[in-house]
């Protein structure tokens, strides 16, 4: 499996970049029975781990922390939550309750400039509304019948497809924020 560019060409200058990784089903589902695992294939999971290798830190929200397998991560993990005080599944994770701009500045200072957002659509939307997301690794899965549906073309309307490739019934995209 080939992986898409880890850093878009306009970010190889060492400046901070923030990318998200998301899988979306054929009908726009972003979760299936509470998490994204059934939307993801073995190829998507391999790509997911390759993308993580290029990150300095992983940022997730409380819902993702509670519903996805985050007991162990290969990179430092930041959980954004105003209600969570501890995360027993991964005691090494840090929990922050601060504005998103401060999250990014502090994450860069503490962990490094390559920040990977592995979050649901609500947190993704918050990052996009504040113009804090540089790009998205998007997997279009053939699975349907899940929940929290989006029309990805509308949801990511301020992003341009930089690269696309197909593998079987899946399409893998790299989207970059329009300048």
């Amino acid at each position: 499996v080939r992986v898409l560019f880890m850093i878009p060409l306009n970010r190889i200058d060492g400046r901070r970049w923030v990318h998200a990784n998301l899988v979306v089903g054929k009908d726009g589902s972003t979760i299936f029975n509470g998490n994204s695992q059934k939307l993801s294939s073995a190829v998507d999971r391999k790509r997911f781990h390759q993308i993580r290798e290029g990150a300095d830190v992983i940022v997730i929200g409380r819902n993702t922390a509670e519903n996805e397998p985050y007991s162990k991560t290969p990179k430092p993990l930041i959980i954004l939550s105003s209600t969570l005080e501890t995360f027993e599944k991964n005691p090494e994770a840090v929990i922050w309750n601060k504005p998103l701009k401060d999250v990014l500045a502090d994450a860069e200072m503490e962990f490094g400039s390559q920040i990977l957002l592995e979050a649901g659509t609500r947190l993704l939307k918050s990052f996009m509304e504040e113009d804090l997301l540089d790009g998205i690794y998007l997997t279009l899965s053939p699975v349907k019948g899940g929940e929290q549906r989006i029309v990805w073309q509308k949801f990511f309307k301020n992003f341009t497809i930089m690269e696309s490739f197909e593998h079987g019934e899946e399409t893998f995209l790299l989207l970059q924020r329009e300048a």
Side-chain angles (χ1 to χ4, degrees), residues 92-147:
E92 294 180 16
V94 295
I95 301 167
W96 289 354
N97 177 16
K98 52 179 87 175
L100 297 180
K101 285 184 180 187
D102 293 345
V103 166
L104 296 182
D106 293 350
E108 181 177 17
M109 196 165 31
E110 191 167 333
F111 301 108
S113 63
Q114 300 181 57
I115 300 167
L116 180 60
L117 182 61
E118 296 177 359
T121 54
R122 186 171 44 198
L123 188 54
L124 277 174
K125 186 176 180 182
S126 295
F127 271 84
M128 289 187 299
E129 285 173 348
E130 293 189 36
D131 202 25
L132 298 174
L133 192 59
D134 298 309
I136 299 126
Y137 294 99
L138 181 64
T139 300
L140 303 178
S141 163
V143 177
K144 45 186 179 171
E147 304 92 41

Side-chain angles (χ1 to χ4, degrees), residues 73-108:
T73 55
K75 304 289 177 154
L77 179 66
I78 299 170
I79 302 170
L80 305 182
S81 176
S82 60
T83 58
L84 197 63
E85 293 182 17
T86 62
F87 188 58
E88 293 179 13
K89 290 196 301 191
N90 185 341
E92 294 180 16
V94 295
I95 301 167
W96 289 354
N97 177 16
K98 52 179 87 175
L100 297 180
K101 285 184 180 187
D102 293 345
V103 166
L104 296 182
D106 293 350
E108 181 177 17

Side-chain angles (χ1 to χ4, degrees), residues 38-96:
K38 289 189 179 178
L39 293 170
S40 182
S41 69
V43 173
D44 179 55
R45 283 188 293 281
K46 183 172 182 178
R47 179 173 170 262
F48 171 79
H49 291 290
Q50 289 175 326
I51 292 167
R52 278 181 159 189
E53 287 175 15
D56 293 317
V57 62
I58 298 167
V59 177
I60 64 175
R62 180 187 53 83
N63 287 336
T64 298
E66 292 175 348
N67 295 301
E68 302 279 357
Y70 280 92
S71 59
K72 185 177 180 186
T73 55
K75 304 289 177 154
L77 179 66
I78 299 170
I79 302 170
L80 305 182
S81 176
S82 60
T83 58
L84 197 63
E85 293 182 17
T86 62
F87 188 58
E88 293 179 13
K89 290 196 301 191
N90 185 341
E92 294 180 16
V94 295
I95 301 167
W96 289 354

